[in-house]
């Protein structure tokens, strides 16, 4: 009995060690589904129904309106449109739509407009000029490139947004984000090397190359505009809200509209719209419908992106931005019969991988913050 009692503590310790060393049974697939279902139900109940309605509308606007705007730009050129100024003007001509959303918001939230000082006013003028130049560059890109190719190349704006954000706003970068920059650049390189497979017959090699160059330059400028906008929030406004972003979008779009209108008038493209509409395939009605819906869809995309960022997160906006790239490419192949080579498919997959890496890196950075 004595020897048994002396051995008992040791056997108990051995049992505890064995219990600790034993592997913990992993959750079954059914348990994981139940866990996620509980989390989603809790998230749904934590927000009012109008919140979810607005978020869903914002998501739909991002993944439908932006691709539609890109497709319509290419439809304009394929059916007889020639002007780059008209397409760049259309991109900002719908700015009053944002004002229609903003002004009632002041009364609903009982908020006053943000005071406009000289620095803020000059910043809006500069951003408006840069946005006008950016839209003009994209117009040249869509004039010379298939919509699917232009959309893939335009995804490089994420690379420039990250770089300018790091330089100007001191945003953090981790290994996943850096990996995303290299991966997306690799996808862009594949497109450039495969330029002979999707060039339209009426487009020369020089025009195709210039389309790629304008697309990359526009993406770089877009990234700079994004970083400068964030810098304005940090340095001049000191706060960021849904209303403040709408105010900035209206002011920037207004000045971009004024600059673009001046350029379109000086170039004579406003005066040429009547003759261009007459020679347009489908007639004047189709011509003006393409322009009007281009303006509407672009602004709906902007509103959707703004809603998603402030109702959910920038990570979700990044996910939707990644999704709309293949949506644009696939829609261009189906609706416009864009050529889709193996290299372009590879570039699409690589670009999507790069977006995924960037989204993962951004989400990890948000958790650390």
């Amino acid at each position: 009995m004595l020897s048994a009692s002396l051995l008992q503590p040791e056997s108990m310790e051995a049992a505890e060690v064995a219990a600790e060393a034993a592997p913990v049974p992993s959750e079954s697939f059914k348990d994981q589904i139940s866990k996620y279902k509980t989390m989603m139900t809790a998230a749904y109940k934590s927000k009012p129904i109008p919140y979810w309605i607005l978020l869903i509308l914002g998501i739909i606007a991002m993944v439908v309106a932006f691709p539609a705007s890109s497709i319509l730009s290419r439809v304009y050129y394929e059916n007889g449109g020639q002007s780059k100024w008209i397409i760049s003007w259309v991109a900002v001509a719908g700015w009053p739509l944002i004002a229609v959303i903003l002004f009632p918001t002041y009364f609903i939230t009982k908020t006053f407009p943000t005071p406009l000082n000289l620095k803020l006013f000059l910043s809006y003028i500069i951003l408006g000029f840069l946005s006008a130049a950016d839209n003009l560059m994209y117009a040249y890109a869509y004039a010379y490139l298939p919509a699917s190719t232009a959309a893939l190349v335009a995804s490089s704006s994420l690379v420039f947004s990250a770089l300018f954000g790091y330089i100007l706003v001191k945003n953090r970068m981790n290994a996943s984000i850096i990996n995303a920059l290299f991966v997306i650049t690799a996808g862009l390189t594949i497109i450039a090397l495969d330029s002979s497979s999707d060039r339209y017959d009426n487009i020369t090699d020089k025009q195709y190359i210039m389309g790629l160059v304008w697309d990359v330059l526009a993406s770089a400028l877009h990234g700079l505009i994004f970083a400068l906008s964030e810098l304005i929030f940090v340095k001049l406004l000191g706060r960021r809200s849904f209303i403040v972003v709408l105010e900035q979008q209206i002011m920037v779009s207004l000045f971009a509209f004024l600059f673009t209108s001046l350029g379109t008038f000086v170039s004579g493209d406003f005066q040429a719209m009547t003759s261009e509409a007459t020679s347009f395939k489908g007639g004047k009605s189709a011509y003006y419908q393409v322009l009007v819906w281009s303006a509407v869809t672009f602004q709906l995309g902007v509103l959707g992106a703004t809603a998603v960022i402030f109702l959910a997160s920038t990570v979700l906006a990044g996910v939707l931005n990644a999704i709309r790239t293949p949506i644009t490419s696939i829609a261009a192949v189906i609706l416009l019969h864009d050529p889709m080579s193996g290299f372009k498919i590879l570039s699409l997959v690589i670009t999507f991988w790069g977006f995924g890496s960037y989204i993962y890196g951004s989400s990890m950075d948000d958790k650390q913050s």
Side-chain angles (χ1 to χ4, degrees), residues 30-304:
K30 184 178 180 180
D31 291 337
Q32 290 180 0
I33 292 178
S34 177
K35 180 180 178 181
Y36 285 121
K37 184 179 179 181
T38 303
M39 291 173 59
M40 291 176 66
T41 303
Y44 172 77
K45 292 181 177 179
S46 66
K47 302 290 184 181
I49 292 179
Y51 167 90
W52 293 108
I53 294 175
L54 290 175
L55 181 59
I56 291 172
L57 290 175
I59 292 172
I60 293 173
M62 275 198 74
V63 299
V64 175
F66 273 138
S69 178
S70 300
I71 296 295
L72 286 169
S73 296
R74 188 57 220 170
V75 167
Y76 167 81
Y77 290 114
E78 281 199 353
N79 289 274
Q82 298 293 328
S83 175
K84 284 75 177 177
W85 279 106
I86 290 294
I87 287 298
S88 60
W89 177 78
V90 162
V92 288
W95 68 268
L97 289 175
I98 303 178
V100 171
I101 301 294
L102 176 62
F103 292 145
T105 307
Y106 285 134
F107 295 100
I108 295 173
T109 61
K110 298 180 180 180
T111 306
F112 292 99
T114 303
L116 191 64
N117 55 44
L118 181 59
K119 285 185 178 180
L120 195 58
F121 184 74
L122 292 176
S123 299
Y124 289 153
I125 292 177
I126 294 172
L127 285 178
F129 176 78
L130 294 178
S131 295
D134 189 45
N135 292 331
L136 185 60
M137 292 179 186
Y138 275 128
Y140 272 94
Y142 276 93
Y144 299 142
L145 300 176
S148 56
T149 303
L152 282 171
V153 176
S155 65
S156 63
S157 63
L158 181 63
V159 175
F160 296 106
S161 295
L163 291 176
F164 285 122
Y166 176 76
I167 295 171
L168 298 177
V169 195
K170 309 303 180 185
N171 289 336
R172 290 186 293 183
M173 294 180 69
N174 54 36
S176 294
I177 293 177
I178 295 173
N179 174 69
L181 306 188
F182 281 104
V183 169
I184 294 174
T185 304
L188 178 62
T189 305
I190 292 174
I191 286 290
L193 294 176
D194 190 42
S195 60
S196 60
S197 67
D198 65 349
R199 180 174 56 82
Y200 291 128
D201 294 334
N202 62 330
I203 301 296
T204 65
D205 289 336
K206 182 180 179 180
Q207 287 176 326
Y208 187 93
I209 293 172
M210 288 307 301
L212 289 175
V213 171
W214 284 121
D215 211 352
V216 173
L217 290 176
S219 300
L221 186 55
H222 188 79
L224 176 62
I225 292 170
F226 188 84
L228 290 175
S229 300
E230 191 171 357
L231 191 64
I232 289 174
F233 284 119
V234 174
K235 298 293 184 180
L236 299 182
L237 294 172
R239 65 191 179 98
R240 183 184 294 193
S241 68
F242 187 74
I243 290 179
V244 170
V245 172
L246 288 182
E247 288 174 339
Q248 187 195 60
Q249 188 63 41
I250 287 177
M251 294 301 295
V252 172
S253 296
L254 172 60
F255 284 116
F257 174 76
L258 295 176
F259 283 122
T260 309
S261 297
L262 179 62
T264 308
F265 178 80
V266 171
S267 67
D269 287 358
F270 268 143
Q271 299 87 319
M273 283 183 70
T274 304
S275 60
E276 192 174 68
T278 303
S279 61
F280 195 77
K281 294 179 183 178
K284 290 184 179 181
S285 177
Y287 177 80
Y288 290 113
Q289 283 186 48
V290 168
L291 296 186
V292 169
W293 281 111
S294 293
V296 171
T297 53
F298 187 85
Q299 294 303 322
L300 286 177
V302 171
L303 283 171

